[in-house]
Amino acid sequence: MAGGPLDLWNHWSIQILVLLSLALQVVLFFFAGIRRRGVNPVLRILLWLAYLLADSTAIYALGHLSLGTISKERKQGELVAFWAPFLLLHLGGPDCITAYALQDNQLWLRHLQILVVQVLGAGYVLYKRIADNGFYVMLASVLMFAVGVVKYVERTWALRGGNMGTIRSSLKRGPDAKHHEFHALDQGFREGAANEEELYVRRAHSVFHICKGAIVDSWIEKDSENHGGEMLRDIINEGYKGMWTLMEVELSLLYDILYTKAAVIHTWRGYCIRLVSPLATVAAFLLFHFSVKDGHRRTDIAITYTLLAGAFLLEMASLLMALGSSWTYSFLCTTRWSWFRYAVLCTGRWNQLRQLVKKITRRQVAGHARRWSGEMGQYNMLHFCSRQDTAFSPVLGKLAKMVGLKEWWNSKHYSGTIQISDELRLWLHWYIEQLPRKNKVNTQGVLRQNWGVQALEVHRCYDNFKGYLGIELQEGIVIWHIGTDVFLAKSSRAKADYGSAQEKLVKTIRILSNYMMFLLVERPEMLPGLAQTRLYQQTCENLVDMWCKVESSSHSHPNRKIRTMMKELFLWRDDPNTSRLLQRDELAVILYSEKPEYSTDVPRLCYANWVAKELLKQEKEKGSKAMLDLLLHVWMDFLVYTANRCSRESHAKKLSSGGELTTVLWLMADYFHKSLLYPQFPIGVRTDSPEDG
C-alpha cells in the first residue's frame, strides 16, 4: 500500500472509528466496576482513557459522518449512514458507569448541550443518506435511532440525578414508603456467608434514604425515618461486624447513585427501556438481514452485523443485570401494586431469577467486590526523612525529580497500605458508638470538641497537653505523629517490659498515626481546615538535616549498607511498616536528644519533643499501659474528628477511587447519631471498652 497508515486511514477511517467505539463500550462494561475497590493505578489510568476516548471517538465519528454527507471528494458507502444511531447508543454508555468523577454530574447541563448537538447531527446523517438504502434499512435506522436517543437521554438524566442538588431535592419530597417490608421479607436469609451478605444488602436498601440525607447534609423529618428505626436497632445490637458491613454496603449503593445509572434504571421507565431496547435491536437486525444489500461492500456489511450483535449483547446484559440487581428488590418492595409485589416477591420468583442471573453473569453471590477494600494508607515522616538521598536513590525517583514530579514520587514511593484488622474495627466502632451517648455531638451530628480534646479529658491530662494540639488539624497531626514515634522509641518498650497485649496496642497506635499522616500527605482533600503544606515541608527539611549530621557516624557494616543501597536503586515502593524501622527509631532518639527550641526555622519539632517528654514523664507515674491507652484514644479522636468534619463532597468524590476509611467512619457516626432519634426502638447500651469485654 503506497500511502501506508495514512492511506489506510483515508480509506477506512469511519470503519475504524465505529469499531473502536464499540470496543470501548465493551471495555467500560467489563471493567468500570474496578473503581469500587482501590485498584492498580495502571488499570485506573486505562479505564480513565477508555472513558474519555469512548465519548470523543463517538462524537468525532458522528462529525465525520455529518461532513461526509455533504462532501463529494471521495465516495462513501451509503450503508455507513446506518451506523450513526449506533454512535448515539454508544454515547449513552453502559449502565455501570455514567460519571468518572463527581464533577461530571455537576456539568450535566454541558452534557445536555452535547446531547442536542449529536442527536441533530445523527438525524441529519439519516435524513440525507438513509433513504438510499431501501425501506427495510430505513425502518431499522429509525428503530436504532430511537433506542440511541433514549439511552443517551437516560445517561444525561442519570448525571443530573447524581448531582448533590438533585439528591437534596428528592429527599425533600420524602423517602419511599414501605421500607419496613424489607425486614419481614428478609427473615429467610440467616444462614451461610452468601445469604448473610444478601441480607445486609437488602437491609442497606431499607435505610438508604438516611445515607442519601447524610451525603447532602439534608435533614430528614423524624417521622419519615421511623420505618428505619427497627432495622437500625437490630443491626446495632448485633455488634460491630454487622455495622461495618452495613456501612460498606451503604457506600456501595451511594456509589451506584453517583456514578452509575442506578437511579434511572430502577424505575418503571428504566425497566421498560431495558425491555424494549433488545427487542428493537433484534427487529433492526432482522430488517437489515432481509434488506437488499447489492452495491454495499462486504466489509461494511460485516461491520453492520457486528454493531447490531454488539448492541444486542450489551442491551441484553443490561437487562439481565438490572433484573437481577438488589435495586430491583428495593423497587419491588416499594411499589404501590401490592398484587405485583406478592406475585414476584412472596412467591420467590424474583429470588429464583436473581440466582439465575448470577449464574449467567458469573457474579459472586457474596458480593464482596461491591464493598470497600478494607485497606488504609500508611506514611511515616521519620521513615521518609531517614531515607538514603544519595547516588543510590531509586532510579525512578531521579527521573521523577528531573521532570518536576519529586513531591509526587515521594508521596507514592514512601507510602504503603495495610489491611484494617478486626481488632481496630472493634475499637473504632466502640469509640464512635460512645460519642452520641455522651453528648459529644450536636443536634446535626457534628462533634462539639476539637481533635484530641475528648481523649485527653477522659484521661485527665488535658491541661498537660492542651497547648500542643495545634491551631489547625494538620498542625496537630504533625506534632503528635512525631511525638508518638519519639515516645515509642524511648519508652520502656525498649527494655522489653511490654507484653503481647501492649505490643498490639503499639502496632495499632502506629497504624493510626501513619494513616493520619498518609491523609495529610497524599489525601489532603480528606482533611478539614486549612492546609499546612509549608509546615510539613519545613519540618521534613529539619528532620533530614538532623539525620544527615549523624549519618556519617553510623556503625552499620559497610558491605551490608552498600547491598541495601543497591537494592533501593530499583525499589518501587518503600513501605514504612516494613523497611528502615531501625533508622526511624534512631532519628526519633536523635530528635529527643537534641532538644530543639522553638524558632521559625524549626516550627513544631519542639512541640513534638515536648509531647514525647510529657508522655515519658507520665509513663513513670501511671505506667506504660495507661500512656498507650491515651495515645490510642487520642489518635482515634483525631481520626473520628477528621471523618466527621470532612466535607461531604470530598467523601462522595473518594467513592470513585475505592473509598476511604474516614468515609466509612463518617457514615457510621451519622447512623449512630440517627439511632438516638428512635426512642420507641431501644438499643442496647455498651460503655465498656473492647479490651474490657
Side-chain angles (χ1 to χ4, degrees):
M1 188 175 294
L6 183 60
D7 191 56
L8 175 68
W9 175 257
N10 289 333
H11 284 84
W12 301 97
S13 58
I14 189 61
Q15 287 82 357
I16 294 173
L17 289 171
V18 170
L19 290 177
L20 176 60
S21 180
L22 176 62
L24 290 171
Q25 294 302 305
V26 174
V27 171
L28 289 176
F29 177 81
F30 282 105
F31 296 103
I34 66 175
R35 298 193 302 157
R36 294 179 184 273
R37 299 165 65 88
V39 295
N40 190 300
V42 176
L43 292 179
R44 287 188 52 79
I45 292 174
L46 293 177
L47 181 62
W48 173 70
L49 290 174
Y51 178 82
L52 295 181
L53 285 174
D55 282 358
S56 58
T57 300
I59 291 173
Y60 180 76
L62 269 174
H64 203 57
L65 284 173
S66 300
L67 293 175
T69 61
I70 58 176
S71 175
K72 303 298 182 183
E73 295 181 2
R74 57 188 180 91
K75 178 67 175 174
Q76 287 280 357
E78 302 291 341
L79 191 58
V80 299
F82 182 38
W83 300 344
F86 293 95
L87 294 172
L88 283 181
L89 185 62
H90 296 168
L91 284 170
D95 292 347
C96 52
I97 182 171
T98 52
Y100 188 86
L102 193 65
Q103 289 84 348
D104 294 322
N105 294 328
Q106 299 168 349
L107 298 175
W108 71 271
L109 283 173
R110 179 181 297 180
H111 287 272
L112 179 61
Q113 181 265 335
I114 297 174
L115 161 67
V116 173
V117 173
Q118 297 308 315
V119 169
L120 290 176
Y124 177 72
V125 172
L126 294 181
Y127 171 75
K128 297 294 290 186
R129 284 289 187 96
I130 202 60
D132 299 334
N133 289 290
F135 177 75
Y136 282 175
V137 176
M138 182 177 66
L139 187 57
S141 300
V142 172
L143 284 173
M144 293 309 302
F145 180 78
V147 172
V149 171
V150 169
K151 294 301 289 287
Y152 198 2
V153 170
E154 188 182 54
R155 181 193 177 186
T156 306
W157 194 254
L159 289 170
R160 177 186 177 276
N163 190 31
M164 294 295 189
T166 306
I167 296 175
R168 188 178 293 108
S169 298
S170 67
L171 288 171
K172 291 179 181 179
R173 295 192 296 268
D176 293 334
K178 299 182 181 178
H179 282 82
H180 61 276
E181 296 198 12
F182 281 90
H183 189 61
L185 293 171
D186 285 341
Q187 298 304 318
F189 291 91
R190 293 291 182 182
E191 298 178 358
N195 287 338
E196 183 179 356
E197 182 74 18
E198 184 77 8
L199 171 62
Y200 278 106
V201 170
R202 297 185 182 186
R203 284 175 163 183
H205 277 287
S206 70
V207 291
F208 182 58
H209 58 286
I210 302 178
C211 178
K212 289 199 296 184
I215 196 63
V216 296
D217 197 23
S218 179
W219 181 259
I220 302 176
E221 292 298 329
K222 179 179 175 182
D223 290 342
S224 67
E225 290 181 345
N226 281 344
H227 56 256
E230 185 178 0
M231 187 70 65
L232 277 179
R233 179 205 64 187
D234 289 348
I235 295 171
I236 291 175
N237 288 339
E238 286 177 4
Y240 79 98
K241 289 186 177 180
M243 196 63 177
W244 275 90
T245 302
L246 179 69
M247 294 302 99
E248 293 178 19
V249 176
E250 288 280 62
L251 292 175
S252 177
L253 298 180
L254 185 60
Y255 171 92
D256 290 342
I257 292 292
L258 295 175
Y259 299 103
T260 75
K261 294 182 182 178
V264 296
I265 292 174
H266 302 286
T267 61
W268 283 115
R269 288 187 296 272
Y271 290 120
C272 289
I273 290 171
R274 266 139 202 85
L275 286 171
V276 171
S277 57
L279 297 177
T281 307
V282 170
F285 183 93
L286 294 175
L287 287 170
F288 177 75
H289 182 70
F290 292 111
S291 66
V292 178
K293 302 179 183 63
D294 296 339
H296 298 308
R297 290 181 292 192
R298 295 179 62 183
T299 304
D300 291 345
I301 294 173
I303 291 175
T304 304
Y305 276 121
T306 301
L307 291 173
L308 285 164
F312 174 74
L313 291 174
L314 288 175
E315 291 305 307
M316 277 302 300
S318 173
L319 173 62
L320 290 174
M321 299 290 280
L323 292 179
S325 170
S326 62
W327 284 98
T328 302
Y329 185 81
S330 172
F331 172 79
L332 293 172
C333 279
T334 56
T335 182
R336 296 179 179 179
W337 295 356
S338 57
W339 64 269
F340 183 71
R341 181 168 62 250
Y342 175 82
V344 177
L345 288 183
C346 297
T347 60
R349 292 172 182 171
W350 182 83
N351 285 329
Q352 295 174 3
L353 174 63
R354 180 164 168 80
Q355 296 305 318
L356 178 62
V357 169
K358 286 178 177 179
K359 290 180 181 179
I360 295 175
T361 57
R362 296 183 179 181
R363 294 171 63 189
Q364 295 295 324
V365 177
H368 287 287
R370 288 178 56 92
R371 288 164 49 184
W372 176 53
S373 64
E375 293 181 344
M376 51 192 301
Q378 297 283 281
Y379 186 91
N380 187 279
M381 187 183 290
L382 298 187
H383 166 266
F384 167 66
C385 294
S386 61
R387 66 194 187 282
Q388 301 288 349
D389 196 8
T390 63
F392 292 93
S393 297
V395 176
L396 290 177
K398 294 181 181 297
L399 294 176
K401 185 177 181 179
M402 290 173 58
V403 298
L405 296 175
K406 180 181 178 181
E407 296 299 328
W408 174 85
W409 166 259
N410 287 340
S411 65
K412 299 295 181 182
H413 177 67
Y414 295 101
S415 63
T417 57
I418 193 169
Q419 199 76 19
I420 183 171
S421 64
D422 285 342
E423 183 179 8
L424 182 53
R425 289 176 190 263
L426 177 59
W427 270 110
L428 292 171
H429 175 272
W430 168 81
Y431 198 79
I432 292 174
E433 187 179 14
Q434 306 307 307
L435 295 177
R437 302 191 187 283
K438 295 181 178 180
N439 198 30
K440 298 300 181 180
V441 297
N442 62 21
T443 56
Q444 302 298 316
V446 179
L447 288 174
R448 297 178 183 273
Q449 297 173 309
N450 280 346
W451 55 92
V453 173
Q454 186 205 351
L456 294 175
E457 288 181 347
V458 169
H459 288 267
R460 297 182 177 86
C461 56
Y462 175 70
D463 291 337
N464 301 85
F465 294 96
K466 64 179 180 180
Y468 302 94
L469 289 172
I471 303 300
E472 293 292 337
L473 174 65
Q474 294 193 24
E475 180 185 6
I477 292 174
V478 171
I479 293 172
W480 280 82
H481 174 77
I482 298 174
T484 297
D485 275 349
V486 174
F487 167 74
L488 293 178
K490 293 290 294 182
S491 71
S492 58
R493 171 174 165 271
K495 303 175 183 178
D497 289 343
Y498 282 9
S500 60
Q502 290 176 314
E503 287 294 347
K504 288 182 180 179
L505 280 179
V506 170
K507 182 179 179 181
T508 302
I509 290 167
R510 286 197 187 278
I511 288 173
L512 290 175
S513 174
N514 290 344
Y515 177 65
M516 293 305 302
M517 184 55 63
F518 171 83
L519 292 179
L520 188 149
V521 174
E522 198 160 342
R523 305 274 195 271
E525 70 279 1
M526 300 299 294
L527 294 175
L530 296 176
Q532 301 285 305
T533 305
R534 179 54 189 159
L535 173 65
Y536 162 75
Q537 292 174 342
Q538 192 169 1
T539 305
C540 285
E541 293 172 2
N542 300 146
L543 289 171
V544 170
D545 291 340
M546 287 185 183
W547 178 252
C548 291
K549 288 179 183 178
V550 298
E551 186 180 351
S552 58
S553 61
S554 174
H555 298 290
S556 302
H557 193 280
N559 292 333
R560 182 180 179 183
K561 191 172 183 180
I562 292 176
R563 287 197 301 269
T564 302
M565 290 180 172
M566 290 298 295
K567 182 180 179 181
E568 289 185 354
L569 275 174
F570 305 100
L571 191 64
W572 165 246
R573 175 157 285 184
D574 194 356
D575 195 310
N577 288 323
T578 58
S579 65
R580 284 205 310 278
L581 303 182
L582 293 177
Q583 289 92 327
R584 178 199 63 197
D585 289 344
E586 185 179 350
L587 178 55
V589 173
I590 293 170
L591 172 61
Y592 182 81
S593 61
E594 286 206 4
K595 301 179 177 59
E597 298 293 336
Y598 176 81
S599 69
T600 55
D601 296 328
V602 189
R604 295 299 178 269
L605 288 182
C606 60
Y607 290 176
N609 212 32
W610 192 93
V611 167
K613 289 182 178 180
E614 183 64 23
L615 289 171
L616 290 169
K617 176 184 175 182
Q618 295 203 19
E619 182 187 36
K620 295 179 180 178
E621 300 173 2
K622 302 178 182 179
S624 299
K625 179 63 168 55
M627 289 303 97
L628 293 179
D629 286 340
L630 169 63
L631 279 176
L632 177 62
H633 290 169
V634 165
W635 281 116
M636 286 195 295
D637 209 32
F638 268 83
L639 180 56
V640 173
Y641 178 90
T642 299
N644 183 261
R645 292 295 188 94
C646 177
S647 72
R648 307 299 182 257
E649 186 172 334
S650 295
H651 285 306
K653 287 179 179 179
K654 197 65 185 70
L655 291 177
S656 66
S657 56
E660 196 65 64
L661 172 61
T662 52
T663 303
V664 181
L665 299 180
W666 153 73
L667 189 60
M668 187 182 298
D670 190 83
Y671 270 60
F672 275 123
H673 170 65
K674 293 292 196 311
S675 70
L676 296 184
L677 299 176
Y678 310 121
Q680 71 275 32
F681 299 123
I683 298 174
V685 178
R686 174 175 176 166
T687 58
D688 55 321
S689 67
E691 60 186 10
D692 295 332

